Amino acid sequence: HAQFNRFEIRASVPLAGAFQPISPDISICPDCLRELFDPHDRRYRYPFINCTNCGPRFTIIEDIPYDRPKTTMRVFEMCDDCAREYHDPLDRRFHAQPVACPKCGPKVWLENDEGRVARGEAIEETQRLLAGGSIVAIKGLGGFHLACDATNADAVAELRRRKLRVDKPFALMMPDVVTVEKHCFVDDAERALLESRERPIVLVRRRPDSPIAEQVAPGNQFLGVMLPYTPLHYLLMTEDGGQKTENNRPSPVFRPPSVLVMTSGNLSEEPIATDNDDARARLAKLADAFLMHDRDIRTRCDDSVMRVFTVVATEDTEKKNQLTPDHYPLRRSRGYAPFPVRLPFDAPPLLATGAELKNTFCITRDRYAFLSHHIGDLENYETLRSFEDGVAHFERLFRVAPQAIAYDLHPNYLATRYALERAEREGLPAIGVQHHHAHIAACMAEHGLSGERPVIGVAFDGTGYGDDGAIWGGEILIADYAGYRRAFHLDYVPLPGGDKATREPWRVALAWLHKAGIDW
């Protein structure tokens, strides 16, 4: 105690091999939200307001230690006011690396067929376009969204046509839970998840009288809904357009759409656009206008998708047989990645490349398993490049040099090819892992099992390449981390067209009829 008589944060010094977990991006905090709409605050209606408690992290970090020069904010030199806050230990923005204000920070603007719209009118003009049935590409936290009025059936249908998305549901954004409850049935657990700092998309049951277009989620009783999570989103969904006139007064009241489609800014099966020039090139035929900003996105990050299930408590004797809500991630990305899963044992430095559909990869170090953000379906060159960039970024961030690479047994997965080619090139062991064994081992790790005792693993996960060369799907395995015994499984049946049958299930139906001797 005698050695220190004051508190200070010293300049970071890189240490060889040292690493630290990286914070996920989280939603705007209540303090910043209050300042955003305070006419007396110098950041009044500033689309990039943030503090140490909120704002961008993972999507802007280029390397550690996490200091401003190692983020995409390095190009924005702090003004005197921001610098004073940044260096004041008593200020909420003390060492907030993305700190900025209208004077020194990132800016927004609108681009349409008529050229570039002045910054002061960009958000209000975006609202008018959306209200008029246009489709707008909006640059957000981890990439571009394609937005339109969700109650305008023609606009939603046109977005489907342009995006080549036949019936996969679109995500929605609504300004608050009160609005969500007008369109959906929401219980307490779903409400808490919607309002959590991670702000994921939450699957909630739609009300039959909701005016949201049926084409948003054709034939589906659930809607994927999220609340605004950046100041820019809040301004977009604010009735006065979110902008100031020259005399610093709010512009005339304008009512924007209260429910927006906010789907990923990409053509079907491609990765979302993050760079302004890339968006102009790839989304020009999809969007009528672009709401841009000049804060670069280092790592693309899709919205996370969560669902609340009601489960029966069995372990706690006092609560036994009571129904309790549990949150299940259907897509773990923004707000959660790259926060690690804590392993029940020390792991050597490994890279696991994942499968093909809804790909994520994983690297391990010590007792941490760093799961990547959502990569997507590894079926084209663009997504493969995104995957390769993500792997290299994680290995740099967490100072991991893999000693072995794990891959899915399917020989034609792009992730498998990457693993085998890299392992050969770098002289690393390559370990094939059966698809359903991987799922069971992941469940064991998630629940902290040591692996000393085997488990009965039940995996009904579509299809996976089996170790006998057949396609498996529907397994009961007696398994631990090291291996498994295949105790029971669904009977084999011809799979006409191979993987194509998983996308056209009528093929499987006919195969089962044929096997059962039932006439087609």
Side-chain angles (χ1 to χ4, degrees), residues 219-259:
N220 198 323
Q221 59 183 327
F222 286 90
L223 296 174
V225 181
M226 60 182 158
L227 299 185
Y229 54 87
T230 70
L232 177 61
H233 292 140
Y234 271 101
L235 294 174
L236 270 173
M237 308 203 83
T238 301
E239 289 192 1
D240 62 11
Q243 292 298 320
K244 296 177 289 187
T245 56
E246 292 300 320
N247 59 6
N248 208 37
R249 294 177 181 173
S251 53
V253 172
F254 172 71
R255 188 177 298 278
S258 62
V259 184

Side-chain angles (χ1 to χ4, degrees), residues 307-343:
R307 184 173 177 182
V308 175
F309 285 92
T310 301
V311 297
V312 179
T314 57
E315 294 183 0
D316 190 322
T317 55
E318 293 183 5
K319 297 181 179 180
K320 191 172 181 179
N321 296 328
Q322 288 188 9
L323 298 179
T324 59
D326 206 351
H327 301 161
Y328 283 85
L330 303 181
R331 184 166 76 191
R332 183 184 186 273
S333 201
R334 177 190 52 76
Y336 299 93
F339 195 78
V341 172
R342 192 69 185 262
L343 298 173

Side-chain angles (χ1 to χ4, degrees), residues 252-269:
V253 172
F254 172 71
R255 188 177 298 278
S258 62
V259 184
L260 293 177
V261 167
M262 278 284 198
T263 189
S264 52
N266 59 354
L267 197 63
S268 184
E269 310 304 338

